[in-house]
Amino acid sequence: MARFGRAHKTLEEVDRTRLPRHVAIILDGNGRWAKKRGLPRTAGHAVGVERFRDIIRYCDELGIPFLTVYAFSTENWKRSEEEVSAIMRLLEKYLHEAIDTMEKDNLRLFVLGDQSRLAPVMRELIARTDEISKHTTGTTLGLCLNYGGRDEIVRAARSFAEDCAAGRCRPEDLTEEDFSRRLYTGDFPDPDLMIRPGGELRLSNFLIWQNAYAEMYFTDVLWPDFSRREFDRALIAYQKRSRRFGDVKE
Ligand code: IPE
Ligand code: IPE
Ligand code: MG
């Protein structure tokens, strides 16, 4: 019976009519993946970028309209200068490639986070991806770079306070929707599914406002090993959840 159960499980497929609109992923486990193979941590980051390219393509094929990935946090500056610059080089290369291919792939790409600490060359590339995204209409990718959930909330609060001080709005008029629009994610819908590979059971300051009602999926698989099949597993798990949003149903 147990064997039958397992065999049955492997045959499960994703129901393409009930996909999440927005999937958020914490790209974690690159360093441990490399260490297990006796490679430098940066080798793990390089393979991690390849995985992430493929998962974007897969979301587009499936018809998932929004994907947000956590690539570099406001806390990740604590790492060695060597590791930080290797990650930045990989992301710079990715942005260059995206600029060349996003029109063909019909990808919208928004870098989310505090750009003030990024190198001018990165900010220049981001301005170009923003420009291209004005006329592409396919899957929207949010690439979180120097992103921190608390930083994002403080900025939104500051921008609202400034508007109030300038007489453009009144504190009592603020709604959750208005506040959401002031976050880096702007008009993105909230994530339906939040995936964290790499075995840690925490949010690490990722989309802490937006994930209020996301379904959480944690796996020990390290990000560089995260295949399309692993993504399917997360979607299948998501499709078994009962989302009640505080109501009583099912
Ligand atoms: C995620 O992998 C990538 C970044 C945080 C930039 P890690 O580098 O955190 O990998 P582990 O967690 O050390 O294995
Ligand atoms: C979260 O991973 C940040 C990113 C994946 C960009 P970390 O590896 O930095 O998180 P902690 O330190 O385990 O919480
Ligand atoms: Mg980590």
Side-chain angles (χ1 to χ4, degrees), residues 19 36 45 47 51 72 83-84 121 140 147 187 210 222 224 236 242:
L19 293 167
K36 274 197 340 203
H45 296 314
V47 177
R51 283 283 126 238
F72 192 88
E83 182 170 351
V84 169
V121 57
T140 300
Y147 172 90
D187 291 328
Q210 299 89 332
L222 303 171
I236 291 164
S242 165

Side-chain angles (χ1 to χ4, degrees), residues 27-32 41 76 79 196 200 202:
L27 310 180
D28 197 24
N30 296 348
R32 280 164 285 162
R41 293 178 59 83
N76 289 145
R79 299 185 180 198
R196 181 166 193 156
E200 309 296 355
R202 55 178 170 255

